[in-house]
Amino acid sequence: MKPEARARKVDFEAAAGELDARFASRFTVALATRDHHGHDEGWHPAAAPDGVLFATTTEDVVDAVRICAAYGVPVIPYGSGSAMEGSVNAVFGGLCINLSGMTAVLSVNASDMDCTVEAGCTRSVLNSFLRDTGLAFPVDPGADATLGGMAATRASGTMTVKYGSMRDNVIGLEVVLADGTVVQTGGRARKSSSGYDLTKLFVGSEGTLGIITKLTLRLHPIPEHVVALRAVFEEVGLAVEFVVLLMQLGYPVARA
Ligand SMILES: Cc1cc2nc3c(=O)[nH]c(=O)nc-3n(C[C@H](O)[C@H](O)[C@H](O)COP(=O)(O)OP(=O)(O)OC[C@H]3O[C@@H](n4cnc5c(N)ncnc54)[C@H](O)[C@@H]3O)c2cc1C
């Protein structure tokens, strides 16, 4: 056991007893499941958690976090494990909370161009849900990631040149803190009172500050026409200069 873990008096066995009683088969210590959750798509050495919980509600997350807090057990949120930084690897062991079962699109407000989803909803599921609204969620990191994971990594993508990254498109969050407190940040109003921008604090925090359970996201109209241009450059630098020039000339580049 690592010294840091010992100092926190980690008692996973006791926590596992309570997790088992509360969650039954949705909590597992099966080796294959733990191994699957001990790495992402990056190169870092895998480190399996001691157990995995498949959460389906905010209440599940609250109860699991409270149990873990009582026994000093580390908690690692998990979306679809597509990140590259090794941030789901359980280097101190602990409980991995898999949110991929929380997939609901809770509301779509087409006139205000926003929506609220559960954290395990993926961007592709959201976009197929939106197909008859003329709206879309444009952040596309190239992986079929969960929107909670994308917020946690502040994901960007090829359309960020026009629409921004998760930093620009998450307008509110529901987050479970380390003691089980549920906080709401931001909201649907474009203008809200000034003060600390807690939404932006959580966006990019990679699961270290809390577990995102719901997100309110900005949606964008799908352009009526999109023109694709393919150009070949002899050097990467020339390609970059060309994109910069296009943007300086005011061309509305949607994807580069
Ligand atoms: C082929 C490929 C191409 C990519 N291209 C890009 C790119 O162009 N630009 C870019 O920015 N990124 C890119 N990425 C990375 C991408 O942003 C991440 O894979 C994605 O955002 C992670 O989402 P996930 O659901 O898989 O999260 P996971 O990998 O499961 O988790 C990532 C981190 O977020 C935390 N986390 C997960 N869910 C939650 C939650 N609900 N609450 C709090 N914390 C949570 C985890 O603990 C971990 O720290 C690429 C990845 C791949 C595989």
Side-chain angles (χ1 to χ4, degrees):
M1 191 185 290
K2 296 260 183 346
E4 295 88 335
R6 208 178 295 127
R8 276 185 264 127
K9 295 198 181 83
V10 177
D11 188 348
F12 185 77
E13 292 305 310
E18 291 197 21
L19 291 165
D20 199 35
R22 165 70 173 81
F23 297 107
S25 61
R26 287 194 290 125
F27 166 69
T28 179
V29 293
L31 185 58
T33 311
R34 289 167 44 212
D35 281 348
H36 175 73
H37 288 80
H39 61 87
D40 57 16
E41 298 287 334
W43 56 268
H44 309 81
D50 296 307
V52 179
L53 171 70
F54 293 89
T56 55
T57 61
T58 300
E59 291 68 38
D60 284 354
V61 177
V62 169
D63 290 350
V65 163
R66 285 202 175 129
I67 292 169
C68 289
Y71 296 104
V73 172
V75 172
I76 308 109
Y78 185 101
S80 63
S82 70
M84 315 290 281
E85 298 84 9
S87 46
V88 298
N89 302 23
V91 289
F92 296 116
L95 178 71
C96 175
I97 302 185
N98 182 321
L99 292 118
S100 65
M102 294 177 61
T103 58
V105 177
L106 299 168
S107 64
V108 174
N109 306 292
S111 50
D112 292 336
M113 294 199 290
D114 64 48
C115 69
T116 299
V117 299
E118 288 186 325
C121 179
T122 61
R123 62 174 187 81
S124 56
V125 165
L126 175 59
N127 277 326
S128 59
F129 192 91
L130 294 170
R131 64 192 176 283
D132 58 354
T133 63
L135 300 170
F137 183 71
V139 183
D140 173 2
D144 195 20
T146 65
L147 291 157
M150 286 170 59
T153 58
R154 202 166 65 201
S156 59
T158 50
M159 301 222 280
T160 291
V161 65
K162 178 173 169 72
Y163 298 103
S165 69
M166 290 303 276
R167 182 186 59 184
D168 310 291
N169 288 286
V170 179
I171 55 177
L173 293 170
E174 177 187 89
V175 184
V176 179
L177 303 182
D179 65 351
T181 307
V182 180
V183 294
Q184 314 283 340
T185 73
R188 294 181 48 230
R190 297 267 161 155
K191 167 78 181 86
S192 60
S193 62
S194 54
Y196 295 114
D197 190 342
L198 295 178
T199 305
K200 286 200 168 53
L201 180 66
F202 283 106
V203 172
S205 64
E206 301 207 342
T208 58
L209 299 180
I211 302 184
I212 298 164
T213 43
K214 289 178 191 153
L215 307 90
T216 299
L217 303 169
R218 190 162 282 160
L219 302 175
H220 297 264
I222 300 171
E224 197 171 338
H225 303 287
V226 178
V227 176
L229 167 71
R230 182 162 173 257
V232 180
F233 299 89
E234 288 181 4
E235 290 171 31
V236 172
L238 293 174
V240 173
E241 278 174 27
F242 179 68
V243 173
V244 170
L245 186 64
L246 279 180
M247 294 186 66
Q248 285 174 338
L249 290 172
Y251 283 95
V253 179
R255 190 190 281 271

